[in-house]
Amino acid sequence: SQYQETSNTDNPPTDEEIALAALQFVRKVSGYQKPSRVNQPAFEAAVDEIASATRRLLSQLEPKGNPQSDGL
């Protein structure tokens, strides 16, 4: 599979890990390792939005083994 499980409910990622993953994603899709000063606000806003979306996703996921999440 293209996607790899990176966490479970017993050991959720820290805010720092989520922020670093968001930064890595924005760097990858933007093509900028470090944006110019003029692009910095847009770059930082994107990192913040992705980190927020990730935290929201993780808070809404059902744990593995839950009959509802297993489609039973």
Side-chain angles (χ1 to χ4, degrees), residues 6-8 11-26 46-59 61:
T6 58
S7 175
N8 61 47
N11 190 20
T14 65
D15 280 342
E16 181 181 7
E17 289 169 328
I18 291 171
L20 289 172
L23 175 60
Q24 181 179 11
F25 177 80
V26 171
V47 171
D48 290 344
E49 287 180 41
I50 291 165
S52 293
T54 301
R55 283 191 288 279
R56 193 168 47 252
L57 168 68
L58 294 174
S59 74
L61 289 176

